[in-house]
Amino acid sequence: MSGRAFLAWIILLGAPTAVLFGMLGDFGGTRSPGIGGGAYDLSGPLYATLLVALTGGWTVGALLATLRRWPARGWNLALAAAGAASLLAALLRHGHQLPFW
């Protein structure tokens, strides 16, 4: 895998993940406007579910790309490790907001 392809994979994970973490209020700013109506706010469960789905799907995709190019090179294993680390961070930080957790 070339260096450009590796950076493209990382950007595809990093940009949406950073946006979702920011929408969940992790960067010290104000929280995003609520989703829902009445006296309840669905933004936490919705954004947390999107975050876990994104990082989980990205990790599975990286693992499939790694298995497709067996014996795996360092870049492919690094992508799978980055996906697993981001999934673990999302679950540890926002797992309590998941509706199915």
Side-chain angles (χ1 to χ4, degrees):
M1 176 180 293
S2 69
R4 282 187 172 173
F6 179 75
L7 287 176
W9 272 85
I10 291 297
I11 289 171
L12 285 175
L13 173 68
T17 302
V19 168
L20 287 170
F21 267 114
M23 291 178 90
L24 285 164
D26 285 344
F27 297 130
T30 59
R31 292 193 53 145
S32 61
I35 298 173
Y40 58 91
D41 181 18
L42 296 177
S43 61
L46 177 68
Y47 295 144
T49 302
L50 286 174
L51 180 64
V52 170
L54 170 79
T55 56
W58 196 86
T59 302
V60 169
L63 285 173
L64 289 176
T66 300
L67 293 175
R68 188 182 63 159
R69 298 177 187 237
W70 196 258
R73 294 196 171 98
W75 291 115
N76 294 16
L77 291 175
L79 288 173
S86 63
L87 178 61
L88 181 64
L91 286 174
L92 288 175
R93 180 72 176 110
H94 296 291
H96 66 279
Q97 294 180 345
L98 294 173
F100 52 83
W101 193 258

